Amino acid sequence: MDHDMRCWSANCRMAGPAFTARVHTADILMVGKALSQCPRDHVLVIDGQGERNTALWGGITTIAAARKVWPAL
């Protein structure tokens, strides 16, 4: 599996204050906690300490993050 992150859009840009979290490998609970504490207008940056064999983000966290921005989802 290719682990490199890529933007799907040709003109992808993101800016904002960073809310950072360093998590132990495979600690999805701390990712959820960081997401809940991250202010709405910040960019959540997660340091997985280089782990490439564990997913720290998925469908449920994507929906939770989207609901912070668009509560009606």
Side-chain angles (χ1 to χ4, degrees):
M1 177 179 229
D2 186 2
H3 300 285
D4 292 332
M5 291 178 60
R6 287 179 208 81
C7 183
W8 288 3
S9 170
N11 296 317
C12 184
R13 294 172 191 222
M14 181 186 306
F19 184 88
T20 60
R22 175 174 285 161
V23 299
H24 186 272
T25 58
D27 192 354
I28 190 68
L29 294 176
M30 290 308 291
V31 172
K33 183 175 181 178
L35 178 56
S36 70
Q37 293 179 348
C38 181
R40 185 172 184 254
D41 61 344
H42 284 55
V43 177
L44 178 58
V45 179
I46 302 169
D47 176 3
Q49 301 184 49
E51 176 60 45
R52 300 179 115 197
N53 294 316
T54 303
L56 293 175
W57 196 270
I60 293 172
T61 44
T62 298
I63 291 168
R67 285 187 175 164
K68 286 188 86 150
V69 179
W70 303 288
L73 284 180

